[in-house]
């Protein structure tokens, strides 16, 4: 590990802006071959339904199903998975689910309306989506916490039916994932994955019901398929690699900060852990902790690549400058590892989630703090939000004019419509003007 | 016009579901040639900035600018456009802007937080986007109402800077559009359009500042470019042709209903006007009104194609069934042209905007009722919402654990993290557990 070299930057170096830009640069490669494979799968499932899904599942997951029915898990199966967990895991899942539910209930929007003097009513009706598809990756990257984070907000929103898909490569089933599905109230589970599962959810088959929106993470085939079906159904954001930005005053235990950086780095070789601090000595201390702790980590190979290729230790002049740089990065996870984080909060303009104070490890937010762990990556926090109940509700405008109101406003509409050359609009409004 | 034939369907006919599906089928053709042209333009603007934008603008809009500066309009220019309008137009625009602003102010979300017994604070911080790009089509389809509907919600959200782009083919400037921009508080206006304008907004050039989100309608090149830059910036929905569904009890003046159908049909030959009623005689009456009124319409050629190829008059058994069909269609605009629309409202699950009662012409909503006229089309009201203030705000989760809270919950996070094989996550949480 002695050769491990982590990028160091200083806000005072001449080419800082350029170096920061290079550090953050990330573009997911859109692969022509992947696009072609996905397009073929989508169109076959659209045409042939169940038969195509079964064929692709047997081919890619090395299963041997004859019918789509064999690829559905009963709710008893899920309940058994939950009941069969060791007590400590069951109660940890329950505690997490309860906190997630409680937090997300605060996000629920209600319909509203108001009535004007002439009796005209305006408002907005808020309704849940009818049916949502939840993609859960199979194999090693199967995360029960993702099931809770995606399914619970949908249930809180009032979504009537959640259809989960999870591939089972070589028949491998993750009991924790099934237990989480049971706990979160997932309605049906199919053991399918890849572009074929996305297609089944987007278009519907004889057995898999068509959904209104597909959420949840997946590999490049899943992401490409989601992008392709967007419009036919809604989708959540397509996530880039995970990132953490730790802003520290230099007074947190450097081992804690090193481990917080590791907790992003262990996700993925492309994950991006960054430390920003005004304390040059602290950068040395954290780097020392990194060297000391890295050999003890189970996923040290992944962490090491992430640190070597994507990490940075950034020296700034003061905390104000640290926050300016944070806003430029618009990180997925922002840790304010300082004594009084509330003083800094007003300076934060763009971040997916803000972890305030030395005790608030980002990892707590991944599992059980309550807020969602599905967060905008790659700077998209500039314009997007954590997954939430609002992603499973939609709004309809309400407009009810009284006869007087329509007569009164009809003239305005008529003038504007004629200004745009749309005379049917104008005449439709004019009909409602009283003589 | 005697040969005009409008599709008639009845919910009792055997193949009704199939016929309804065929009627609604709409797929925007993704054109390989358009994709290639757009990709080239995007990459040239990304590389060469202003120079590429000027070159493309001169080529496509037949202008002769030497520099990007010549393609910016001053705010004095906009103010003069507003001041120069006839009084009746100026006051109509002002009235519309005021009603739109008032309605959208109700949509503004605020930050919230709560504190648990052990001092742990959870919440959500709501902030506006920094900078938004607004695309406005040029030439004939230049709609001042679109400027108000896109810019006002952004301003209500607190967006600091709105950059508008509007092409001026052969130098043609629409004074109403500029006046609306001035009234809505648009900050800067560039007279550029097409994929080159989308690229300039998405990537930024020496002169055009990079934005965080691009909204507003455009032709196939604009829509393709928006889809391509999605991820680098946010975008609004990519709209299909406009639609109206009139649900009528048979007691509204058939001329009114015919004109309401025309007001969608005149937008576009692909626009879709549909009437659903349990009154067979009323269908005949509306068709008679259509035949009578069509020859008097300025845009009768467009209306006629829309009626012939995309419209339908649907007979149902009762109002309950009418609403079931409406929910299957999930229309952009739903008119409940009945005596007591509030009785029907609970039955409406999916619609972009609901126009309640005989006096509430859809056209009122297009201009000045208050709610937004940018609405989900092609059945996407199943999972999406009208453009609103919420599209210009984003949220950051807030998590601040007390030392006790972090110690308490750390064990839960640790169990779940170890269940997922993520030991850096577990150890990061465990550091915060008190001995």
């Amino acid at each position: 590990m002695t050769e491990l070299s982590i990028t160091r930057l200083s806000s005072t170096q001449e080419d800082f802006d350029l170096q920061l830009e290079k550090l953050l640069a990330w573009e997911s490669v859109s692969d022509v071959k992947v696009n072609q494979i996905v397009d073929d799968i989508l169109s076959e499932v659209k045409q042939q339904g169940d038969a195509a899904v079964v064929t692709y599942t047997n081919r890619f997951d090395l299963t041997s199903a004859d019918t789509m029915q064999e690829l559905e898990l009963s709710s008893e199966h899920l309940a058994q998975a939950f009941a069969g967990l060791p007590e400590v895991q069951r109660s940890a899942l329950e505690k997490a689910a309860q906190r997630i539910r409680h937090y997300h209930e605060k996000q629920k929007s209600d319909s509203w309306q108001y009535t004007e003097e002439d009796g005209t009513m305006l408002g907005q009706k808020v309704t849940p989506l009818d049916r949502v598809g939840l993609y859960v990756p199979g194999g090693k990257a199967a995360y029960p916490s993702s099931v809770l984070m995606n399914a619970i907000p949908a249930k809180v929103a009032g979504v009537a039916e959640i259809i989960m898909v999870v591939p089972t490569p070589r028949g491998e089933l993750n009991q924790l994932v099934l237990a989480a599905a049971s706990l979160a109230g997932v309605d049906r589970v199919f053991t399918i994955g890849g572009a074929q599962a996305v297609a089944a959810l987007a278009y519907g088959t004889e057995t898999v019901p068509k959904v209104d929106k597909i959420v949840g993470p997946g590999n490049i085939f899943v992401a490409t398929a989601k992008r392709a079906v967007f419009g036919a159904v809604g989708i959540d954001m397509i996530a880039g690699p995970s990132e953490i930005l730790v802003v520290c005053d230099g007074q947190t235990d450097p081992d804690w900060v090193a481990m917080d950086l590791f907790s992003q780095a262990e996700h993925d070789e492309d994950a991006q852990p960054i430390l920003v601090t005004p304390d040059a000595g602290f950068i040395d201390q954290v780097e020392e902790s990194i060297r000391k702790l890295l050999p003890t980590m189970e996923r040290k190979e992944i962490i090491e690549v992430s640190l070597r290729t994507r990490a940075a230790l950034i020296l700034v002049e003061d905390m104000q400058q640290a926050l300016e740089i944070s806003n430029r990065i618009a990180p997925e996870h922002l840790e304010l590892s300082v004594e009084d984080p509330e003083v800094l909060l007003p300076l934060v303009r763009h971040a997916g989630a803000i972890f305030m104070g030395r005790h608030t490890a980002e990892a707590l937010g991944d599992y059980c703090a309550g807020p969602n762990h599905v967060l905008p990556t790659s700077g998209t926090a500039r314009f997007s939000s954590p997954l939430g109940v609002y992603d499973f509700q939609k709004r309809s405008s309400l407009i009810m004019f009284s006869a007087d109101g329509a007569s009164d406003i009809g003239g305005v509409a008529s003038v504007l419509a004629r200004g745009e050359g749309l005379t049917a609009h104008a005449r439709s409004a004019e009909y409602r003007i009283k003589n």
Side-chain angles (χ1 to χ4, degrees), chain A residues 151-165:
Chain A
I152 291 175
K155 280 288 166 188
V156 170
V159 170
E161 200 176 6
I162 300 177
I163 314 292
M164 180 171 125
V165 293

Side-chain angles (χ1 to χ4, degrees), chain A residues 79-128:
Chain A
Q80 279 163 17
F82 184 71
L85 288 185
E87 161 62 20
V88 60
Q89 281 190 333
R90 205 166 58 232
S91 97
L93 269 185
E94 274 174 340
K95 182 83 187 265
Q98 178 215 318
R99 291 187 61 91
I100 295 167
R101 190 173 297 112
H102 184 68
Y103 177 86
H104 282 82
E105 270 161 5
K106 313 266 180 191
Q107 288 180 335
K108 208 169 162 179
S109 290
D110 292 316
S111 303
W112 51 266
Q113 59 180 65
Y114 60 94
T115 304
E116 301 183 323
E117 271 180 35
D118 62 15
T120 295
M121 184 274 280
L122 298 173
Q124 200 161 262
K125 175 173 165 142
V126 181
T127 43

